[in-house]
Amino acid sequence: AAWDQSLEELRLVAESNGGTAHVLRNDPERLELGRWCATQRTLEERGDLRADRKARLLEIGFVFDLYDAAWDQRLKKLRLIAEDNGGKAHVVEGDPVWSVLGRWCTWQGVLERRGELLAGRKARLLE
């Protein structure tokens, strides 16, 4: 079955990515698999992904929500910076990581001031 073959290919990707089964639709090295992953996300969004297939995808670390995954990755990077700086998670303009992480940190502050930062995310930032 083609679905099972794609799942196995994705499992191998996850093994090489530290347990994260994540392939973008436009990945030049894996176009077919990227499209397959996008289809699984769409099916899940619409509620049309079979429960057994969703369970198998989650089992290998499939990323359904790319925005949440990106937020989590940035938080992880910020925590690494804090570990390296005695607990101080501060990114300043001019640092090599500023371009992405600094803007992300600034945006979290903007959302907080507007009252738009999700409570769960705020709690995680304050941990």
Side-chain angles (χ1 to χ4, degrees), residues 43-114:
L43 289 170
E44 198 273 336
E45 270 181 27
R46 294 191 316 216
D48 293 335
L49 183 62
R50 289 179 8 200
D52 63 313
R53 288 184 171 181
K54 182 175 181 177
R56 290 174 68 193
L57 286 164
L58 289 171
E59 204 172 88
I60 65 165
F62 186 73
V63 176
F64 279 102
D65 189 323
L66 298 176
Y67 295 109
D68 278 349
W71 196 93
D72 290 342
Q73 283 299 103
R74 290 184 178 123
L75 179 61
K76 185 185 282 186
K77 285 181 185 177
L78 188 62
R79 286 184 174 156
L80 289 173
I81 289 170
E83 283 178 24
D84 290 344
N85 292 299
K88 184 179 177 187
H90 185 67
V91 181
V92 295
E93 194 167 353
D95 279 355
V97 294
W98 168 258
S99 62
V100 174
L101 192 57
R103 287 194 306 257
W104 179 82
C105 290
T106 300
W107 184 242
Q108 302 315 299
V110 169
L111 292 173
E112 164 60 18
R113 285 188 295 282
R114 291 181 182 171

Side-chain angles (χ1 to χ4, degrees), residues 6-18:
S6 294
L7 181 68
E8 177 59 19
E9 186 179 346
L10 188 59
R11 186 188 64 74
L12 295 173
V13 168
E15 283 180 5
S16 68
N17 278 346

